[in-house]
Structures are given as structure tokens and as C-alpha cells.
Amino acid sequence: MSLHEADLKSRLTRFLSRKQMPRRFEDKPAAQADEIGALLAVLIRNAPRHMEALTAWWPHFEARLGEICGSMWPTEKEIRDAAKIATQEAPNPTGPAFSGADMREVAITARKMAANEPVGEDWLWGRGAVELIAERLVSRETMERYRKGAFWNRVGSNHPTDEARQSALNAAHRWEAEAKERHEAARQVWGQRNDERQHRDASIPDKSAPYSADAFAAE
């Protein structure tokens, strides 16, 4: 799944969480997943792919879809109809509102992070993260918030036993350590290809696992 599709899935899932699921899907997780997949497929076909256009389009789409479907999950047709209306209402992505925008992938990702939207893990550790930091496109606070979220998402919250939770924590620690190693390698490559200022900007945090369970036990 691409970043664009993952973004749309996240937006759609948040919308569905505010609505009532049809009773025919109760106790049928496979059917629920299939229905969400079908709704997402319609959304992908009808939503703008341009990040700036999607940002302007989504509020119109969500408002119209809410009016059409009421308190229930929407149907595929309702998503298509709301998307058509939103396309007519939303600003033109070639108009003045979008002129001069930095449309590089790294800049688009930075704007998504500033808006607290989902991004791929490659933008948190590794070459993408080094570029974001070196160009000062994201703040340290924003990057650390995303890294912390990625760590705890891997740990999860549904553990039947303490042993299962500890196993998940251990796996998350291993992932974090490997991610930091990849980031350090990418940082060194970046430093070789760019000037000393960029090299300093791309420095990584203390490698003492700042997002570990112990670090957040007191929060």
C-alpha cells in the first residue's frame, strides 16, 4: 500500500469510527475488513492524488459524505457521490492557493507531519528522516512524537499476559535499534554528499532508546 493509499485508509477509518456499523457485519471481522476495503477502493479512485489538493478536498468530502450517509457507514455509491460533489466544491489545485508550493516528496511529507497525518516509517529513521532533519523541514518535537508513536504502535496494547507484553516490548526495542543503525548509516552517507552544516543538522538522538518503556514509565 502506498503512502497515499495509507493516508486515505487512515482518514476513512477515522470517519467510520464516528458512524454506526451495519448489523450485518457484527461478529464478522472478515466481512468488516472486506467492506472497508471496498469503500477504500472507491475512495482511492475518486480522491485527488495531489497532496495539496487532497488536503483542500477532504473537508468538503467528509462533510458531504456525513450528510449523505447519516449515522451509518456509507455505501460505495455514497462515497462516489460525495466525492463528485467535493470535487466541484474544493479549490482548484492549479489555482492561486497552490502556486509556489514545494511539491517535493520530502516537503509534502513534512506538511503531513505538521498536520499529524500518517507517514511511512522510512521518514522517521533512515534517508528520508535525515533529509527532513537536514533541511529543517520538521521540528525535533514533531520527529520525536512520530518516533515515539511508531515504537508504541509496535508494542500494541492488547496483550493477554505480562509475558506477551514483554515479548512485544522486546521486539519493539530490536526494531528501534535496527532503525537507529540504518539512520546512522544514512546520516553518514548524507554527510559525505552534503556540506558540514547539513551533516550537523542530521545528527541523531542519543542512542539510549529514548522511546523505551522505562523512559515513559513516569509519564
Side-chain angles (χ1 to χ4, degrees):
M1 179 177 290
S2 68
L3 286 175
H4 172 69
E5 292 172 351
D7 185 8
L8 288 176
K9 183 176 182 179
S10 176
R11 292 172 184 264
L12 176 62
T13 301
R14 288 199 302 270
F15 178 85
L16 295 179
S17 69
R18 299 192 287 108
K19 304 296 180 179
Q20 183 178 350
M21 181 182 64
R23 296 189 63 180
R24 66 180 182 278
F25 296 134
E26 290 181 0
D27 301 321
K28 297 179 180 178
Q32 295 174 27
D34 289 344
E35 181 68 8
I36 293 174
L39 298 177
L40 177 61
V42 177
L43 183 57
I44 290 172
R45 289 196 298 271
N46 289 275
R49 294 196 62 84
H50 189 292
M51 182 58 197
E52 298 294 327
L54 178 61
T55 299
W57 179 87
W58 185 264
H60 296 271
F61 168 74
E62 191 170 36
R64 297 296 167 255
L65 185 58
E67 293 172 355
I68 293 172
C69 71
S71 63
M72 301 295 295
W73 277 16
T75 64
E76 295 172 61
K77 181 180 183 300
E78 288 171 340
I79 285 185
R80 185 195 63 192
D81 292 345
K84 289 182 178 179
I85 297 172
T87 299
Q88 296 172 354
E89 295 178 342
N92 184 348
T94 62
F98 297 92
S99 61
D102 187 344
M103 296 313 300
R104 293 176 302 152
E105 187 177 12
V106 65
I108 292 172
T109 299
R111 291 195 288 273
K112 293 178 70 174
M113 294 177 72
N116 201 33
E117 297 178 355
V119 299
E121 290 181 353
D122 288 346
W123 293 105
L124 309 184
W125 301 102
R127 182 184 62 80
V130 169
E131 188 174 1
L132 282 168
I133 297 169
E135 295 198 21
R136 299 181 183 273
L137 294 173
V138 298
S139 67
R140 176 178 291 275
E141 292 75 15
T142 296
M143 183 62 76
E144 289 184 351
R145 184 178 73 251
Y146 270 83
R147 287 171 171 174
K148 175 182 174 181
F151 179 91
W152 288 107
N153 281 340
R154 284 183 172 270
V155 174
S157 59
N158 186 21
H159 304 294
T161 64
D162 290 342
E163 290 78 8
R165 184 176 188 277
Q166 187 59 51
S167 177
L169 277 170
N170 292 340
H173 282 304
R174 289 193 297 271
W175 165 80
E176 186 180 54
E178 293 171 358
K180 288 182 177 181
E181 290 180 1
R182 292 196 304 271
H183 186 88
E184 174 64 14
R187 187 184 67 84
Q188 292 180 5
V189 171
W190 180 274
Q192 294 170 1
R193 295 178 179 176
N194 298 272
D195 62 28
E196 185 177 355
R197 180 187 65 80
Q198 292 173 312
H199 179 77
R200 289 198 300 270
D201 289 344
S203 61
I204 64 172
D206 181 7
K207 299 183 70 175
S208 59
Y211 310 130
S212 66
D214 293 342
F216 290 94
E219 291 190 2

